[in-house]
């Protein structure tokens, strides 16, 4: 057993875990990050080339958080000397009356926050949208809301930058280290032992004063054997496809990312979004902000088949409403796991003391769930502050691990006395889910 005691051990080497490792190391503390797969793997939520950085939110606290995140991104880019985002703006467009009872909220809902925060925006008519973007056949009454302070994240460059910077500041990193369980040290109850195994044979124990669990959809693989609890998760197998565009004279050009607000059609979500062709390589992306396959645990994920219904939805949308994009066959398609709890929001909190099995209070921090990529640098700072200082202004009550669904009274935590086996089947939920915020529930299988 290694006798070294770290200040913090981070479990999970995805973007949030690496951001936490970077911030802890930057603060001068001893930290190690443990990843069960390769770093930069595609097993979780970050196996992609591009993600949306957006600041348009209906909820005040999320709009404030997004505005603050901009400074964290700026500081990360300065520290690394690397541009990690392409700030091209965001166009939201569609039916202005749709969305009051959906996760995205109303199309024009962000305007009060944009005004309050002094962020520029512009409203567009359907004709103005079709003049500027390669869309067609938009209903005449549709409108658009364009805001400049939004952009596209270079995901793979972000991951590599965070790991490199963390090591530069003195962090240690281990890949292929599967965490079997975490427990208090028998010789010192203020120290945690993280029991791991590598390639099923090489066991090792790491020690630390504080633990950060940032393992995304795999969070229950750590919580259950360590603390006898699981979180009630709804994991979406998100599908995204990239398509080739007309490159001839007067070719197809999307000046920014975009998101369409429209009611379901035939039981299928019409919340489509897209990215333009990007400087780091991928062609135009078009996908539904929805998932047909929904599971309770990553072990249920289908790893060799992509859901054809989700691809077909994007192809039909392109045929009906996009000019100059070839929908015949995607250039390539990918999937990732999107982790949710009942309200589609983050879990950012300490494991309650009653589950710590004698370990010190507020010494194990958990982050999971929600659409987090746009907040990665800020969340890294929050986790570092919570592990090193015992508090963070970014740990809002809306992110509490003990919050309950106001509609059902059910909580997020399921303790060992309530755990039950999921019914066998191809996937846990039978209905499509869609949306990426917290206003209302468009999540019919819950």
């Amino acid at each position: 057993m290694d006798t070294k005691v770290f200040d913090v051990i981070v479990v999970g080497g995805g973007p949030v875990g690496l951001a936490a490792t970077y911030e802890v190391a930057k603060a001068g503390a001893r930290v190690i990050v443990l990843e069960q797969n390769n770093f930069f793997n595609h097993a979780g939520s970050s196996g992609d080339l591009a993600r949306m950085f957006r600041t348009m939110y209906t909820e005040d606290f999320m709009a404030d958080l997004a505005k603050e995140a901009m400074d964290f991104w700026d500081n990360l880019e300065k520290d690394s000397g690397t541009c990690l985002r392409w700030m091209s703006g965001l166009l939201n467009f569609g039916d202005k009356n749709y969305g009051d009872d959906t996760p995205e909220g109303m199309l024009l809902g962000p305007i009060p926050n944009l005004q309050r925060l002094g962020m520029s925006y512009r409203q567009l008519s359907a004709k103005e949208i079709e003049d500027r973007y390669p869309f067609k056949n938009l209903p005449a009454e549709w409108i658009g809301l364009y805001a400049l302070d939004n952009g596209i994240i270079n995901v793979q460059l972000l991951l590599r930058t965070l790991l490199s910077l963390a090591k530069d500041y003195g962090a240690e990193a281990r890949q292929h280290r599967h965490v079997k369980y975490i427990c208090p040290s028998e010789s010192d109850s203020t120290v945690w032992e993280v029991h791991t195994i590598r390639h099923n044979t090489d066991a090792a124990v790491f020690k630390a004063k504080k633990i950060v669990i940032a393992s995304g959809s795999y969070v229950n693989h750590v919580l259950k054997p360590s603390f006898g609890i699981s979180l009630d998760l709804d994991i979406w197998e998100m599908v995204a496809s990239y398509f080739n565009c007309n490159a001839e004279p007067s070719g197809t050009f999307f000046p920014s990312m975009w998101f369409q607000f429209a009611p379901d059609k035939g039981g299928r979500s019409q919340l489509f979004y897209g990215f333009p062709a990007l400087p780091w390589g991928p062609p135009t992306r078009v996908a539904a902000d929805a998932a047909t396959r929904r599971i309770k645990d990553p072990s249920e994920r289908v790893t060799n088949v992509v859901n054809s219904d989700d691809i077909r939805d994007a192809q039909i949308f392109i045929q009906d409403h996009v000019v100059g994009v070839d929908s015949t066959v995607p250039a390539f398609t990918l999937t990732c796991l999107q982790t949710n709890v009942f309200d589609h929001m983050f879990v950012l909190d300490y494991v309650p003391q009653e589950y710590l099995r004698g370990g010190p209070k507020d010494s194990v921090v958990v982050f999971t769930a929600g659409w987090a990529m746009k907040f990665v640098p800020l969340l890294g700072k929050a986790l570092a502050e919570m592990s090193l200082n015992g508090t963070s202004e970014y740990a809002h009550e809306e992110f509490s691990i003990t919050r309950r669904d106001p509609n059902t009274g059910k909580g997020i935590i399921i303790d060992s006395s309530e755990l039950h086996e999921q019914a066998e089947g191809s996937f846990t939920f039978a209905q499509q889910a869609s949306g990426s915020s917290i206003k209302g529930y468009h999540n019919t299988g819950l």
Side-chain angles (χ1 to χ4, degrees), residues 101-172:
D101 61 346
T102 70
E104 288 296 340
M106 299 288 281
L107 171 60
L108 300 181
I111 288 180
N113 280 322
L114 292 172
Q115 293 174 336
R116 177 175 62 85
L117 297 171
M119 305 176 78
S120 63
Y121 68 93
R122 180 182 179 185
Q123 293 190 51
L124 302 172
S125 67
K127 183 179 184 305
E128 288 174 319
I129 294 170
E130 290 184 348
D131 287 343
R132 290 166 171 76
Y133 291 77
F135 293 120
K136 64 181 180 181
N137 302 325
L138 300 183
E141 68 274 15
W142 278 19
I143 60 173
L145 180 64
Y146 174 82
L148 181 61
D149 291 320
N150 298 266
I152 304 167
I153 300 165
N154 187 333
V155 176
Q156 297 306 312
L157 183 58
L158 170 66
L159 292 167
R160 286 158 174 79
T161 298
L162 287 170
L163 180 58
S164 178
L165 282 175
K167 289 181 175 180
D168 287 345
Y169 280 110
E172 296 186 33

Side-chain angles (χ1 to χ4, degrees), residues 77-313:
E77 289 174 333
K78 289 176 183 177
D79 200 16
S80 64
T82 304
C83 180
L84 301 172
R85 300 164 296 164
W86 187 40
M87 298 298 286
S88 59
L90 169 63
L91 171 70
N92 287 343
F93 71 96
D95 183 349
K96 68 178 180 180
N97 298 315
Y98 170 76
D100 188 46
D101 61 346
T102 70
E104 288 296 340
M106 299 288 281
L107 171 60
L108 300 181
I111 288 180
N113 280 322
L114 292 172
Q115 293 174 336
R116 177 175 62 85
L117 297 171
M119 305 176 78
S120 63
Y121 68 93
R122 180 182 179 185
Q123 293 190 51
L124 302 172
S125 67
K127 183 179 184 305
E128 288 174 319
I129 294 170
E130 290 184 348
D131 287 343
R132 290 166 171 76
Y133 291 77
F135 293 120
K136 64 181 180 181
N137 302 325
L138 300 183
E141 68 274 15
W142 278 19
I143 60 173
L145 180 64
Y146 174 82
L148 181 61
D149 291 320
N150 298 266
I152 304 167
I153 300 165
N154 187 333
V155 176
Q156 297 306 312
L157 183 58
L158 170 66
L159 292 167
R160 286 158 174 79
T161 298
L162 287 170
L163 180 58
S164 178
L165 282 175
K167 289 181 175 180
D168 287 345
Y169 280 110
E172 296 186 33
R174 301 285 190 278
Q175 60 184 4
H176 307 140
R177 273 292 165 195
H178 174 62
V179 173
K180 302 292 289 184
Y181 64 93
I182 302 167
C183 64
S185 171
E186 292 184 358
S187 60
D188 185 347
S189 62
T190 67
V191 172
W192 290 98
E193 293 181 355
V194 180
H195 292 252
T196 72
I197 193 166
R198 182 175 183 268
H199 299 321
N200 297 319
T201 56
D202 180 15
V205 179
F206 300 88
K207 295 183 178 181
K209 300 174 184 176
K210 302 291 179 66
I211 305 293
V212 171
I213 302 173
S215 49
S217 58
Y218 295 83
V219 65
N220 288 336
H221 294 193
V222 180
L223 290 177
K224 185 176 179 180
S226 304
F227 308 110
I229 60 172
S230 293
L231 304 186
D232 190 7
L233 303 180
D234 177 13
I235 303 170
W236 301 0
E237 291 189 29
M238 301 292 288
V239 176
S241 295
Y242 290 82
F243 297 88
N244 288 314
C245 294
N246 178 13
E248 296 176 358
S250 300
T252 301
F253 172 69
F254 290 88
S256 74
M257 18 175 227
W258 52 270
F259 193 104
Q260 174 184 279
F261 287 69
D264 291 0
K265 182 185 297 184
R268 302 295 294 176
S269 173
Q270 300 300 297
L271 296 177
F272 290 99
Y273 71 95
F275 297 155
L278 296 169
W280 52 91
T284 294
R285 173 168 167 171
V286 179
D289 188 25
T292 299
R293 285 190 49 84
R294 300 163 59 199
I295 58 179
K296 297 294 291 183
D297 187 89
S299 63
E300 301 167 1
R301 182 182 190 179
V302 175
T303 59
N304 59 350
V305 177
V306 177
N307 188 273
S308 60
D309 291 335
D310 292 333
I311 300 174
R312 184 168 56 250
D313 288 345

